[in-house]
Amino acid sequence: MKTKKILSAVVLTLGFAFASNAQKTVMVGGAAMYPNKNIIENAVNSKDHTTLVAAVKAADLVETLQGKGPFTVFAPTNEAFNKLPKGTVENLLKPENKKMLQTILTYHVVAGKMNSSDIAKAIKDGKGKTTFKTVSGGTLTAWMSGKDLYISDENGNKSKVTIADVNQSNGVIHVVDAVLLPKK
């Protein structure tokens, strides 16, 4: 009887811990990102990701990122897009550049759900860095500087993860401060 009570208490405690963790929201761009909503449902509410959302729509990737996944998305902010040379974003949003835009956006997506602790473990196992194959077929490299997580593209450009572990129903988002570009 005593074992049954202890077991019940453990199950109840784990249940509460899981429920509270599952309901945890993260604020991004002034909006709550709910773990029970998909990547698109959350991203459209972030005032820091309006350029990314416009690009995803222009590239016809909304349905994909609303799909089952899971996906790990390194999501550039509006400020990240603003760091690109003047006119780049406007040019990419043109219908004739849709394929290029799709390639750039899917370069920010890795199949599977990798939270920051998974990435940190892979970096440790890789003796200071790890690489990921992107949905577009390119490679991203993850590494740490102090406690900061960085992602580098194939051209050597680096992007800092400014908000990690924004859980979604179909994956996880890590907010980054620079747009990553595949090799041409």
Side-chain angles (χ1 to χ4, degrees):
M1 186 70 166
K2 189 173 184 174
T3 303
K4 189 174 180 180
K5 282 185 178 182
I6 292 171
L7 188 56
S8 293
V10 168
V11 169
L12 187 61
T13 302
L14 288 174
F16 281 131
F18 178 76
S20 65
N21 190 32
Q23 297 303 316
K24 183 180 176 201
T25 60
V26 176
M27 296 299 288
V28 177
M33 301 288 116
Y34 297 100
N36 62 337
K37 291 187 175 185
N38 68 48
I39 291 166
I40 296 298
E41 290 171 328
N42 275 320
V44 297
N45 295 315
S46 169
K47 70 177 194 256
D48 291 345
H49 290 89
T50 56
T51 304
L52 178 60
V53 170
V56 166
K57 288 177 180 177
D60 286 333
L61 291 172
V62 171
E63 192 173 309
T64 301
L65 291 175
Q66 286 180 325
K68 185 177 180 180
F71 305 107
T72 298
V73 178
F74 297 100
T77 61
N78 294 342
E79 285 184 26
F81 280 101
N82 290 339
K83 290 178 184 178
L84 294 172
K86 188 172 174 70
T88 301
V89 173
E90 294 77 10
N91 192 43
L92 285 170
L93 293 176
K94 291 179 181 175
E96 61 267 25
N97 294 324
K98 182 176 170 178
K99 184 71 177 154
M100 186 185 333
L101 181 59
Q102 287 175 334
T103 300
I104 291 170
L105 293 175
T106 57
Y107 187 68
H108 289 79
V109 181
V110 176
K113 182 178 180 181
M114 291 177 286
N115 62 35
S116 60
S117 61
D118 296 328
I119 297 170
K121 182 182 180 325
I123 292 169
K124 184 178 178 187
D125 292 348
K127 299 189 184 348
K129 67 180 180 178
T130 190
T131 58
F132 304 110
K133 189 64 115 178
T134 70
V135 171
S136 72
T139 304
L140 294 174
T141 302
W143 48 282
M144 303 286 294
S145 179
K147 291 185 178 195
D148 295 327
L149 174 60
Y150 285 88
I151 308 297
S152 296
D153 64 22
E154 295 165 330
N155 303 298
N157 300 310
K158 68 180 181 178
S159 183
K160 180 180 175 183
V161 174
T162 57
I163 302 174
D165 300 331
V166 185
N167 289 304
Q168 316 289 300
S169 64
N170 61 344
V172 63
I173 291 174
H174 302 289
V175 178
V176 295
D177 69 354
V179 176
L180 301 161
L181 299 170
K183 237 181 190 149
K184 294 182 181 180

